[in-house]
Amino acid sequence: MSGRPWRVLVADDEPVTRLLIRAALEKAGFQVFLAEDGEDALRLFSAEPCDMVLLDVNMPGLNGHQVCAHLRHQLGDEFPIVMVTGMDDIDSIRRAYDAGATDFIVKPVNWPLLGHRIRYLFRGVQVLKDLHAANARNAAILQALPDSLLRLDADGMVLAAHLTNADQELTGRPMPGDHISAVLPADIAHRMLKAAELARIGGDGLTVNYALSRNDGTEHHYEARLADITGEETLCLVRDVTERKNAERDIQRLAYVDSLTGLPNRLSFIQRLEREIKRARREGDRLAVLFLDLDGFKNINDSLGHGIGDLLLQRAADRLRQGVRPADLVARADPLDTEVNLARLGGDEFTVLVPSLHHADEALGLARRIHELLRRPFVLDGREIVMTASIGIALFPDDGEDADALLMHADTAMYHAKDEGRDNCQFYRTALTLEAMRRLTLESSLRQALERGEFFMAYQPQLDLATGRVQSLEALIRWRHPERGLVSPMEFIPAAEESGLIVLIGEWVLRAASADAARWVAAGTPVRVAVNLSAVQFMQPELVGRLRTILAETGLAPQWLELEVTEGVLMEDSAATLNTLQVLRQDGMQIALDDFGTGYSSLSYLKRLPLNRIKIDKSFVRGLPADKENLAIVRTIVALARNLGFTLVAEGVETLEQACLLRDMECEALQGSYISEPVAGEAVPALLSARWPLTAT
Ligand code: C2E
Ligand code: CA
Ligand code: CA
């Protein structure tokens, strides 16, 4: 008690004793209130509440016991009430305790000791109060704690338990006297007891991690911390760490899984590959890495939007999953791990690991199967999209000793596959690495080519079968590289498209071809010139404006300019595409659909497009007339074009036989080496005056 002195109420009917007690207590520093009898004591107490009451047992009216019982009832267990009794009155002492007295003092009172005695009693009271406060604090802490708490004895008996509601649901409510193994599964209880023992002999930071399943099937993770209390008792604090565990697992997932497709990502593929390389090295095994890239995916993304692009990637991933699952290939792999064989590296690139290979042919077989799987059209958003893939294969140990080298070489092989024409598969060979290096420098050389005027145009005639004359020319760009000589557009156009340089190059082509065409018109030999437009160019909002400027600057009437676009461009069934085409047509330009049949899409949308003609792709003309499949395809395309009212040009016509066949099918025009290879502008006038009377063999 700080500040004010302790207040003691003394009730005694004997005036002398009263005064003596007062003198003794005041001397000891207490403040004293005196009552003459029981009633007086109660009255005084309610007027002046005190910290302790001293009651004489024998008083007239209410005796000490009665007052004691009354106050005890009123003030609760802890309030100190001291009875003053006769020394030999054992019965009275017993009754004093019955009435709830805290202690007693016997008469005759030892006056010099009285003060000490009372002070000692007060100290006891204070200790008790502190203890109660401490208990209340502990209880509050336990309530506030999100943890469950067990106190165990050395044998693993529960001494006390405080469980959160959630934990009670799971384990029930352990009672003091239960053994820990009745609360938790045996193996966990065993680990807990071991840790408790360690805690008792002085180990610290002891934790036991375990998981329990709820009735609803969800798994909960716990972390129990054990601390020694007295050497006999252990405190066990149990925390539900499920959320933390889940978060850790999610982070793990994010780090290793591609969120779009749910496939393992690059990181997890590389780690898996590294493990497999180690194993293969140890066991003298061979393995293969397939690097797969979807053909023309960029076009789909550009023309149909990223939503469809993402959807297509997901569907493709699903098919690939089917493709790599068959047991024959992954028989030796852990079935749970099978999926790791397939990964998405990013964009439209996927990889497949064949962990154990007998022959290189097996990898090729898998690549073929993947090609088959992808070939079935994807139906997205009511549209049919045909997707092919280019696949490169690198082998361990043949093509590289580590994961980086294998992946890089498989990538190189994939590019080679693309160059071979899409929907293709290639193994890595050392020579290809050089080519990869060249690819890197290609972009910067293309810029220089534009600046240094290394490009020029070639023209390939299209024979009009009705007149036997050349009425149009396809303009094809040529690049005379200062060191490498002529470089094929098949090599540099894709690079130009990827880097965006195609916009500048394409504009150069349009201007050059328009200028040439304007000259031929002026010379009295008018001929239509067909210029190839890349998808990237077509998507430029400035396209129409640029075309008008170029026509105006070169003085070419729009009817002599034809634009060749591919299906990828037209696939975007949007108002903008349709609008651009309509504006070009209204201006008087012609539109041809190039490479018809190699694209992705169904044909129903063609009807709405303002096209003039369709060009049958050379891959269908090749092998005619012997190739029955191609023959059937060409017949179908001819019928379709008739139906939709488009004229037809066949590309890649190389023989008289092909020319006659196409003529008989009523194809309107022919283009190909049988008529003429592409020629330089100077050679065009000669072609324009020539005639090709087609006579059947
Ligand atoms: P493409 O539009 O399909 O052009 C026809 C290609 O077939 C030309 O190849 C042509 O030389 C070739 N060819 C002609 N006759 C025959 C034949 O009888 N048999 C075979 N097998 N092929 C024949 P080239 O000139 O190498 O052009 C390749 C591709 O490069 C073109 O394919 C076109 O997609 C692109 N390209 C060419 N010039 C340009 C251009 O100025 N702009 C754009 N964006 N692309 C261009
Ligand atoms: Ca073309
Ligand atoms: Ca073509």
Side-chain angles (χ1 to χ4, degrees), residues 6 92 624:
W6 294 100
S92 163
L624 288 187

Side-chain angles (χ1 to χ4, degrees), residues 457-458 460 474-478 487-494 497 502 505-506 508-510 530-535 537 564 566 594-595 615 617-619 622 651-655 658 671-678:
M457 295 311 297
Q460 186 170 36
E474 179 173 2
L476 295 160
I477 191 171
R478 295 291 176 260
V487 182
S488 164
M490 301 286 264
E491 185 178 337
F492 68 82
I493 292 288
E497 283 172 338
I502 190 68
I505 294 176
W508 181 88
V509 168
L510 279 167
V531 174
N532 292 285
L533 272 196
S534 287
Q537 276 177 284
E564 293 193 3
T566 53
D594 202 0
D595 302 343
K615 298 186 77 175
D617 189 63
K618 49 188 170 293
S619 61
R622 185 189 310 142
E651 289 186 315
V653 180
E654 295 177 346
T655 65
Q658 287 169 347
Q671 176 184 347
S673 58
Y674 174 70
I675 315 298
S676 164
E677 298 281 358

Side-chain angles (χ1 to χ4, degrees), residues 489-595:
M490 301 286 264
E491 185 178 337
F492 68 82
I493 292 288
E497 283 172 338
E498 245 152 61
S499 63
L501 267 179
I502 190 68
V503 175
L504 289 178
I505 294 176
E507 210 172 313
W508 181 88
V509 168
L510 279 167
R511 190 165 270 116
S514 299
D516 284 342
R519 247 196 324 277
W520 293 318
V521 172
T525 49
V527 62
R528 193 171 64 235
V529 172
V531 174
N532 292 285
L533 272 196
S534 287
V536 190
Q537 276 177 284
F538 194 83
M539 294 305 151
Q540 297 276 310
E542 306 84 15
L543 175 71
V544 172
R546 291 224 172 105
L547 277 166
R548 286 174 181 165
T549 310
I550 288 168
L551 288 176
E553 283 175 6
T554 55
L556 182 68
Q559 81 210 64
W560 303 113
L561 182 60
E562 177 168 297
L563 299 170
E564 293 193 3
V565 294
T566 53
E567 286 173 81
V569 169
L570 303 184
M571 229 176 26
E572 193 192 22
D573 201 5
S574 74
T577 305
L578 200 62
N579 186 49
T580 306
L581 290 174
Q582 272 159 356
V583 170
L584 295 175
R585 283 294 303 272
Q586 273 157 22
D587 274 17
M589 287 170 250
Q590 312 246 329
I591 313 283
L593 181 54
D594 202 0
D595 302 343

